[in-house]
């Protein structure tokens, strides 16, 4: 039986992939899924209001990721940090998720930013905001991820301000942190991060940060959607410092690596791809690179679709797929962001995910997609 999508008829897949949770840990790569938050659809909250989160469903999704052996990167861009989730909401999310991780033995790292600031800020105010969030994450027992800061990008006059700010924070960190370079395609306010719009100069600056504090840097997460640049960076990292790919366009080849190294992963696309990604890495753990690529290469079309420009709205497709997969009971997002992508875009996301066998219950996914189409008048 076909479903009429805006771009034409589609015959849904009959059987999903068999991707049950495995007790076998991932061995050859450290892999984090940047996880989304589930909104409370019954809350009277609109755009600009504090986020209303369904905590039970949000934590259940994290348990789903942990059950497959993935780490959770919490309170990051995928959780709508700065796009519906404010610092108060992020702080509560960090506390709850870190406690849940301890209860199930899951790995967790949490975003440290400056989003409690409103309006222009001075460099001392930026440092103080980072310090507040760093303290909360460390107190929760999670590994810190020093996120790129809109406030720092606005306040800094050049590379020296970044060097001084990060040196100040790394001296205080109780454990090695993950640094975070999020490109302007994910957040236009981060244009010129590390003190220069020239990416070569920016790279030199953050590599200097790492070189001066190698014992305090676990790794660098790079989200520039530029595979060659990421490869160049990881070849220049000091020994023991990981490169975590955040490249949702080229992740299979970057994780597979070459004879000079490979990338670990901290990816938003591993929210909808979690079970399949974990299975693929276990295949890679056996040394079967071709088998790993055979599993993950076909997912790139879906990822490129979800992350197409304007890239920052990829979260809408991620939450759609979570709803279609049965991980939540509605397609509502904090900040009303479910309206950020067109119906044809969402319909194509459904088709690509279904072709991959990502929906545990294809009939449920189809019925929910039909309901969405009916509400929006986009199909039959």
């Amino acid at each position: 039986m076909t479903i009429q999508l805006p771009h034409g008829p589609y015959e849904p897949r009959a059987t999903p992939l068999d991707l049950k949770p495995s007790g076998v840990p991932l061995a050859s790569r450290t892999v984090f899924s940047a996880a989304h938050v589930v909104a409370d659809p019954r809350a009277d909250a609109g755009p600009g209001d504090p986020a209303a989160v369904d905590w039970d469903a949000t934590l259940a999704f994290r348990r789903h990721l942990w059950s497959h052996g993935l780490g959770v990167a919490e309170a990051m861009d995928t959780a709508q940090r700065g796009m519906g989730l404010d610092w108060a909401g992020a702080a509560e999310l960090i506390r709850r998720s870190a406690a849940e991780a301890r209860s199930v033995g899951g790995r967790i790292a949490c975003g440290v930013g400056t989003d409690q600031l409103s309006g222009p800020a001075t460099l001392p105010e930026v440092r103080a905001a980072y310090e507040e969030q760093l303290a909360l994450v460390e107190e929760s027992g999670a590994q810190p991820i020093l996120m790129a800061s809109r406030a720092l990008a606005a306040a800094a006059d050049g590379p020296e301000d970044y060097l001084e700010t990060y040196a100040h924070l790394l001296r205080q960190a109780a454990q090695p942190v993950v640094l975070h370079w999020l490109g302007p395609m994910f957040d236009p306010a981060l244009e010129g991060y590390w003190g220069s719009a020239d990416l070569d100069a920016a790279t030199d600056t953050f590599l200097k940060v790492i070189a001066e504090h190698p014992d305090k840097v676990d790794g660098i997460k790079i989200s520039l959607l530029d595979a060659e640049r990421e490869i160049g960076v990881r070849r220049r990292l000091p020994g023991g410092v990981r490169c975590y790919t955040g490249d949702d366009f080229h992740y299979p080849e970057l994780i597979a690596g070459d004879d000079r190294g490979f990338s670990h992963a901290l990816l938003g696309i591993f929210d909808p791809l979690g079970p399949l990604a974990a299975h693929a890495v276990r295949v890679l753990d056996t040394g079967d690179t071709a088998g790993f690529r055979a599993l993950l290469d076909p997912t790139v079309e879906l990822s490129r679709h979800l992350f197409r420009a304007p890239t920052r709205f990829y979260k809408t497709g991620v939450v759609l797929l979570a709803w279609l997969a049965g991980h939540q009971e509605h397609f509502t997002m904090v900040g009303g962001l479910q309206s950020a992508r067109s119906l044809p875009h969402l319909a194509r996301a459904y088709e690509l995910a279904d072709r991959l066998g990502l929906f545990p219950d294809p009939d449920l996914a189809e019925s929910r997609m039909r309901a969405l189409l009916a509400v929006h008048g986009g199909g039959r």
Side-chain angles (χ1 to χ4, degrees), residues 50-51 55 81 85-95 115-116 133 136:
W55 294 112
R81 191 79 179 265
L85 188 71
D86 61 11
W87 166 236
E92 183 69 9
L93 178 62
I94 289 166
R95 293 187 192 98
D115 46 330
Q116 68 270 57
Q133 297 198 17
L136 184 143

Side-chain angles (χ1 to χ4, degrees), residues 112-361:
V112 172
T114 63
D115 46 330
Q116 68 270 57
L117 298 171
S118 60
T122 64
L123 287 173
E125 290 170 335
V126 170
R127 287 195 295 270
Y130 264 131
E131 288 170 346
E132 177 189 356
Q133 297 198 17
L134 177 61
L136 184 143
V137 169
E138 290 186 334
E139 288 166 5
S140 77
Q143 181 180 19
I145 302 170
L146 292 186
M147 299 173 67
S149 163
R150 294 174 181 174
L152 179 55
D157 288 328
E160 287 302 320
D161 288 337
Y162 287 88
L163 292 170
E164 292 175 7
T165 298
Y166 279 91
H168 178 83
L169 296 169
L170 290 173
R171 284 193 294 268
Q172 296 183 51
Q175 61 175 301
V177 309
V178 177
L179 299 179
H180 181 226
W181 188 1
L182 193 68
M185 68 288 295
F186 288 93
D187 187 341
L190 298 176
E191 181 72 44
Y193 208 75
W194 301 107
S196 177
D198 181 287
L199 293 182
D200 291 333
T203 298
D204 289 342
T205 299
F206 87 73
L207 286 174
K208 187 174 181 180
V209 170
I210 296 171
E212 292 178 354
H213 307 274
D215 59 324
K216 289 294 186 74
V217 180
D218 167 70
I220 172 74
K221 186 232 180 187
I222 303 175
S223 296
L224 298 176
L225 305 182
D226 184 336
E228 291 305 313
R229 181 164 296 278
E230 179 174 321
I231 292 169
V233 167
R234 79 184 184 204
R235 289 176 178 173
R236 296 173 63 186
L237 292 173
V241 176
R242 296 181 176 95
C243 178
Y244 290 96
T245 187
D247 188 331
D248 301 279
F249 284 5
H250 307 98
Y251 51 93
E253 64 203 71
L254 291 166
I255 296 170
D258 54 32
D259 58 0
R260 296 178 60 184
F262 56 82
S263 295
H264 299 270
L266 198 166
L267 286 161
I269 192 57
F270 281 4
D271 178 305
L273 292 184
L276 178 55
H279 175 60
V281 173
R282 288 193 179 89
V283 171
L284 186 60
D285 289 344
T286 69
D288 184 0
T289 303
F292 167 81
R293 293 294 300 268
L295 287 165
L296 272 199
D297 282 0
T299 69
V300 172
E301 184 179 8
L302 170 64
S303 189
R304 285 177 174 261
H305 177 72
L306 296 182
F307 284 79
R308 78 181 191 190
T311 301
R312 62 189 181 279
F313 295 123
Y314 74 87
K315 297 95 166 172
T316 303
V318 165
V319 173
L320 171 84
L321 297 184
W323 173 54
L324 296 177
H327 294 298
Q328 57 194 76
E329 293 303 314
H330 57 84
F331 179 42
T332 301
M333 299 175 67
V334 299
L337 209 62
Q338 67 271 11
S339 65
R341 292 293 202 187
S342 69
L343 188 64
H345 177 92
L346 299 177
R348 180 63 174 160
Y350 159 73
E351 179 182 343
L352 292 172
D354 183 72
R355 289 187 188 280
L356 292 168
L358 296 184
F359 301 130
D361 184 342

Side-chain angles (χ1 to χ4, degrees), residues 51-73:
V53 177
D54 181 336
W55 294 112
D56 289 343
T58 293
L59 295 177
F61 188 76
R62 280 130 184 85
R63 291 193 297 273
H64 156 71
L65 295 172
W66 285 318
S67 75
H68 287 275
L70 298 166
V72 168

